[in-house]
mmCIF file of all heavy atoms in Angstrom:
data_model
loop_
_atom_site.group_PDB
_atom_site.id
_atom_site.type_symbol
_atom_site.label_atom_id
_atom_site.label_comp_id
_atom_site.label_asym_id
_atom_site.label_seq_id
_atom_site.Cartn_x
_atom_site.Cartn_y
_atom_site.Cartn_z
ATOM 1 N N GLN S 674 -34.637 0.702 -8.720
ATOM 2 C CA GLN S 674 -35.342 -0.224 -7.840
ATOM 3 C C GLN S 674 -34.330 -0.895 -6.917
ATOM 4 O O GLN S 674 -33.380 -1.530 -7.377
ATOM 5 C CB GLN S 674 -36.075 -1.290 -8.648
ATOM 6 C CG GLN S 674 -36.946 -2.172 -7.754
ATOM 7 C CD GLN S 674 -37.760 -3.177 -8.547
ATOM 8 O OE1 GLN S 674 -37.307 -3.685 -9.571
ATOM 9 N NE2 GLN S 674 -38.951 -3.463 -8.057
ATOM 10 N N GLU S 688 -31.334 -1.485 -9.304
ATOM 11 C CA GLU S 688 -31.318 -1.684 -10.749
ATOM 12 C C GLU S 688 -31.824 -0.416 -11.413
ATOM 13 O O GLU S 688 -32.875 0.115 -11.026
ATOM 14 C CB GLU S 688 -32.210 -2.872 -11.140
ATOM 15 C CG GLU S 688 -32.238 -3.099 -12.657
ATOM 16 C CD GLU S 688 -33.004 -4.348 -13.076
ATOM 17 O OE1 GLU S 688 -33.657 -4.965 -12.213
ATOM 18 O OE2 GLU S 688 -32.937 -4.695 -14.267
ATOM 19 N N VAL S 691 -35.014 2.082 -17.339
ATOM 20 C CA VAL S 691 -35.287 3.263 -18.153
ATOM 21 C C VAL S 691 -36.796 3.504 -18.297
ATOM 22 O O VAL S 691 -37.604 2.560 -18.327
ATOM 23 C CB VAL S 691 -34.599 3.124 -19.532
ATOM 24 C CG1 VAL S 691 -35.272 2.072 -20.385
ATOM 25 C CG2 VAL S 691 -34.529 4.459 -20.266
ATOM 26 N N ARG S 692 -37.178 4.740 -18.343
ATOM 27 C CA ARG S 692 -38.570 5.151 -18.579
ATOM 28 C C ARG S 692 -38.571 6.242 -19.635
ATOM 29 O O ARG S 692 -37.638 7.027 -19.739
ATOM 30 C CB ARG S 692 -39.193 5.731 -17.281
ATOM 31 C CG ARG S 692 -39.233 4.755 -16.105
ATOM 32 C CD ARG S 692 -40.303 3.695 -16.320
ATOM 33 N NE ARG S 692 -40.375 2.724 -15.236
ATOM 34 C CZ ARG S 692 -39.708 1.587 -15.217
ATOM 35 N NH1 ARG S 692 -38.861 1.303 -16.190
ATOM 36 N NH2 ARG S 692 -39.850 0.740 -14.220
ATOM 37 N N PRO S 703 -40.672 0.364 -20.435
ATOM 38 C CA PRO S 703 -39.685 -0.099 -21.424
ATOM 39 C C PRO S 703 -40.169 -1.273 -22.262
ATOM 40 O O PRO S 703 -39.714 -1.434 -23.399
ATOM 41 C CB PRO S 703 -38.469 -0.496 -20.584
ATOM 42 C CG PRO S 703 -38.940 -0.580 -19.195
ATOM 43 C CD PRO S 703 -40.139 0.293 -19.068
ATOM 44 N N ASN S 747 -28.886 -2.585 -17.234
ATOM 45 C CA ASN S 747 -29.206 -3.663 -18.177
ATOM 46 C C ASN S 747 -28.470 -3.450 -19.493
ATOM 47 O O ASN S 747 -28.481 -2.353 -20.048
ATOM 48 C CB ASN S 747 -30.713 -3.700 -18.443
ATOM 49 C CG ASN S 747 -31.483 -4.166 -17.232
ATOM 50 O OD1 ASN S 747 -31.471 -5.341 -16.895
ATOM 51 N ND2 ASN S 747 -32.126 -3.225 -16.536
ATOM 52 N N ASP S 808 -29.372 -11.956 -15.890
ATOM 53 C CA ASP S 808 -30.774 -11.548 -15.730
ATOM 54 C C ASP S 808 -31.719 -12.617 -16.284
ATOM 55 O O ASP S 808 -31.314 -13.426 -17.116
ATOM 56 C CB ASP S 808 -30.977 -10.241 -16.506
ATOM 57 C CG ASP S 808 -32.129 -9.424 -15.965
ATOM 58 O OD1 ASP S 808 -32.844 -9.918 -15.076
ATOM 59 O OD2 ASP S 808 -32.300 -8.284 -16.451
ATOM 60 N N ASP S 809 -32.949 -12.592 -15.832
ATOM 61 C CA ASP S 809 -34.000 -13.470 -16.374
ATOM 62 C C ASP S 809 -33.570 -14.933 -16.375
ATOM 63 O O ASP S 809 -33.897 -15.680 -17.305
ATOM 64 C CB ASP S 809 -34.360 -13.062 -17.817
ATOM 65 C CG ASP S 809 -34.805 -11.611 -17.883
ATOM 66 O OD1 ASP S 809 -35.181 -11.070 -16.830
ATOM 67 O OD2 ASP S 809 -34.768 -11.023 -18.974
ATOM 68 N N ARG S 832 -38.687 -13.300 -12.941
ATOM 69 C CA ARG S 832 -39.931 -13.014 -12.228
ATOM 70 C C ARG S 832 -40.998 -14.081 -12.470
ATOM 71 O O ARG S 832 -41.831 -14.339 -11.616
ATOM 72 C CB ARG S 832 -40.458 -11.639 -12.656
ATOM 73 C CG ARG S 832 -41.389 -11.043 -11.616
ATOM 74 C CD ARG S 832 -41.854 -9.672 -12.003
ATOM 75 N NE ARG S 832 -42.798 -9.745 -13.108
ATOM 76 C CZ ARG S 832 -42.808 -8.877 -14.103
ATOM 77 N NH1 ARG S 832 -41.934 -7.893 -14.149
ATOM 78 N NH2 ARG S 832 -43.693 -8.991 -15.071
ATOM 79 N N GLU S 868 -43.330 -10.058 -4.507
ATOM 80 C CA GLU S 868 -44.457 -9.185 -4.156
ATOM 81 C C GLU S 868 -45.105 -9.583 -2.841
ATOM 82 O O GLU S 868 -45.853 -8.805 -2.264
ATOM 83 C CB GLU S 868 -45.511 -9.221 -5.286
ATOM 84 C CG GLU S 868 -44.989 -8.633 -6.591
ATOM 85 C CD GLU S 868 -46.028 -8.628 -7.704
ATOM 86 O OE1 GLU S 868 -47.116 -9.206 -7.533
ATOM 87 O OE2 GLU S 868 -45.729 -8.045 -8.769
ATOM 88 N N TYR S 887 -41.831 -5.450 -5.603
ATOM 89 C CA TYR S 887 -42.782 -4.477 -5.064
ATOM 90 C C TYR S 887 -42.989 -4.638 -3.572
ATOM 91 O O TYR S 887 -43.392 -3.698 -2.890
ATOM 92 C CB TYR S 887 -44.130 -4.583 -5.791
ATOM 93 C CG TYR S 887 -44.073 -4.189 -7.261
ATOM 94 C CD1 TYR S 887 -45.176 -4.402 -8.097
ATOM 95 C CD2 TYR S 887 -42.943 -3.580 -7.800
ATOM 96 C CE1 TYR S 887 -45.151 -4.032 -9.434
ATOM 97 C CE2 TYR S 887 -42.904 -3.216 -9.136
ATOM 98 C CZ TYR S 887 -44.002 -3.450 -9.953
ATOM 99 O OH TYR S 887 -43.967 -3.079 -11.262
HETATM 100 P P1 C2E A 32 -35.707 -6.705 -16.212
HETATM 101 O O1 C2E A 32 -34.289 -6.296 -16.383
HETATM 102 O O2 C2E A 32 -35.972 -8.111 -15.874
HETATM 103 O O3 C2E A 32 -36.287 -5.733 -15.114
HETATM 104 C C1 C2E A 32 -37.172 -6.140 -14.150
HETATM 105 C C2 C2E A 32 -38.530 -5.702 -14.482
HETATM 106 O O4 C2E A 32 -39.436 -6.170 -13.477
HETATM 107 C C3 C2E A 32 -38.689 -4.187 -14.455
HETATM 108 O O5 C2E A 32 -39.648 -3.866 -15.394
HETATM 109 C C4 C2E A 32 -39.242 -3.933 -13.103
HETATM 110 O O6 C2E A 32 -39.953 -2.713 -12.988
HETATM 111 C C5 C2E A 32 -40.158 -5.113 -12.964
HETATM 112 N N1 C2E A 32 -40.452 -5.423 -11.563
HETATM 113 C C6 C2E A 32 -39.640 -5.308 -10.483
HETATM 114 N N2 C2E A 32 -40.255 -5.754 -9.343
HETATM 115 C C7 C2E A 32 -41.506 -6.164 -9.719
HETATM 116 C C8 C2E A 32 -42.597 -6.732 -9.032
HETATM 117 O O7 C2E A 32 -42.573 -6.979 -7.845
HETATM 118 N N3 C2E A 32 -43.689 -7.054 -9.696
HETATM 119 C C9 C2E A 32 -43.755 -6.806 -11.070
HETATM 120 N N4 C2E A 32 -44.843 -7.147 -11.674
HETATM 121 N N5 C2E A 32 -42.728 -6.278 -11.774
HETATM 122 C C10 C2E A 32 -41.607 -5.949 -11.100
HETATM 123 P P2 C2E A 32 -39.499 -2.655 -16.364
HETATM 124 O O8 C2E A 32 -38.889 -1.510 -15.677
HETATM 125 O O9 C2E A 32 -40.813 -2.490 -17.027
HETATM 126 O O10 C2E A 32 -38.454 -3.224 -17.381
HETATM 127 C C11 C2E A 32 -38.767 -4.267 -18.219
HETATM 128 C C12 C2E A 32 -37.584 -4.756 -18.947
HETATM 129 O O11 C2E A 32 -37.096 -3.772 -19.835
HETATM 130 C C13 C2E A 32 -36.404 -5.084 -18.062
HETATM 131 O O12 C2E A 32 -36.540 -6.332 -17.470
HETATM 132 C C14 C2E A 32 -35.276 -5.002 -19.008
HETATM 133 O O13 C2E A 32 -35.189 -6.209 -19.711
HETATM 134 C C15 C2E A 32 -35.712 -3.934 -19.948
HETATM 135 N N6 C2E A 32 -35.037 -2.681 -19.614
HETATM 136 C C16 C2E A 32 -35.397 -1.720 -18.718
HETATM 137 N N7 C2E A 32 -34.482 -0.755 -18.710
HETATM 138 C C17 C2E A 32 -33.535 -1.109 -19.594
HETATM 139 C C18 C2E A 32 -32.314 -0.511 -20.012
HETATM 140 O O14 C2E A 32 -31.892 0.555 -19.547
HETATM 141 N N8 C2E A 32 -31.590 -1.158 -20.954
HETATM 142 C C19 C2E A 32 -32.002 -2.342 -21.450
HETATM 143 N N9 C2E A 32 -31.246 -2.942 -22.357
HETATM 144 N N10 C2E A 32 -33.126 -2.944 -21.073
HETATM 145 C C20 C2E A 32 -33.885 -2.318 -20.146
#
Side-chain angles (χ1 to χ4, degrees):
Q674 186 176 35
E688 179 174 9
V691 71
R692 300 287 179 268
N747 290 286
D808 205 353
D809 303 340
R832 202 177 72 219
E868 295 182 352
Y887 294 172

